[in-house]
Amino acid sequence: MKKYLFLSLVVLLLLISGGCTVSKSVISQGADLSKYKYVTIIDNDTYRIPPELMQYQIQLYDAIERSALTVISPYRLGDLTRTEQASLLVATFGVAVSQEQTTVTVNFLDFDTDRPLVSCQGAYTTLGFSSKADIKGALKRVGDQIAEAFKR
């Protein structure tokens, strides 16, 4: 009996630690990510962190800045030269919160063509025990995916 209880506890701890969630990146074949130096993050009515999660927007920006990309305000895009615009990505994001897990997805599109180049997804779960831990874990994981995709 003690053996089964111990085994159940180990399995539960593995699940709580996020072991059953999947974080991944998809990179377009043939995409030369080394040419990109800048990113602008779209935060409009379509791509907006829900108000109750707004406190985590700082962490989302930090996650993107952990890559080699420099964040440019959407209001400053007109100040970029044509050459700088050619090295610019547009990032959109989404947050999906459920009882099972929290998933943060950040998609990167080429500024000139709107072609999707990279999609990074971070997922995390505590099996409903802590929504704060879930969002923090998902943001950390998406940040790891972004840093890996855009490492120099």
Side-chain angles (χ1 to χ4, degrees):
M1 181 71 163
K2 289 181 182 181
K3 187 178 187 180
Y4 292 113
L5 183 60
F6 177 74
L7 186 57
S8 297
L9 183 60
V10 169
V11 170
L12 181 61
L13 288 174
L14 286 173
L15 290 174
I16 289 173
S17 70
C20 64
T21 60
V22 177
S23 298
K24 62 181 179 177
S25 293
V26 176
I27 300 174
S28 176
Q29 291 183 355
D32 179 12
L33 299 183
S34 66
K35 79 174 203 171
Y36 296 98
K37 298 177 184 173
Y38 308 102
V39 62
T40 188
I41 302 167
I42 302 300
D43 184 15
N44 59 23
D45 289 338
T46 304
Y47 304 104
R48 183 173 303 276
I49 289 181
E52 64 274 12
L53 302 177
M54 189 59 75
Q55 61 184 329
Y56 299 108
Q57 187 167 7
I58 293 169
Q59 291 174 327
L60 176 63
Y61 278 68
D62 288 347
I64 292 172
E65 287 177 338
R66 282 190 3 219
S67 72
L69 300 170
T70 301
V71 177
I72 304 291
S73 167
Y75 304 110
R76 305 290 305 205
L77 295 180
D79 297 343
L80 295 177
T81 67
R82 184 65 208 118
T83 303
E84 290 169 329
Q85 288 177 353
S87 336
L88 177 66
L89 290 166
V90 175
T92 61
F93 56 85
V95 177
V97 179
S98 69
Q99 181 75 20
E100 294 79 31
Q101 70 181 13
T102 297
T103 305
V104 176
T105 304
V106 181
N107 298 310
F108 295 88
L109 299 90
D110 182 89
F111 177 74
D112 287 332
T113 65
D114 266 349
R115 186 182 193 290
L117 298 175
V118 179
S119 180
C120 297
Q121 186 178 74
Y124 194 84
T125 186
T126 57
L127 299 175
F129 290 111
S130 173
S131 60
K132 287 183 180 183
D134 286 354
I135 189 72
K136 285 181 180 180
L139 283 165
K140 182 186 179 324
R141 287 186 174 178
V142 79
D144 293 344
Q145 296 296 318
I146 293 166
E148 180 65 25
F150 292 99
K151 66 182 174 186
R152 300 271 184 215

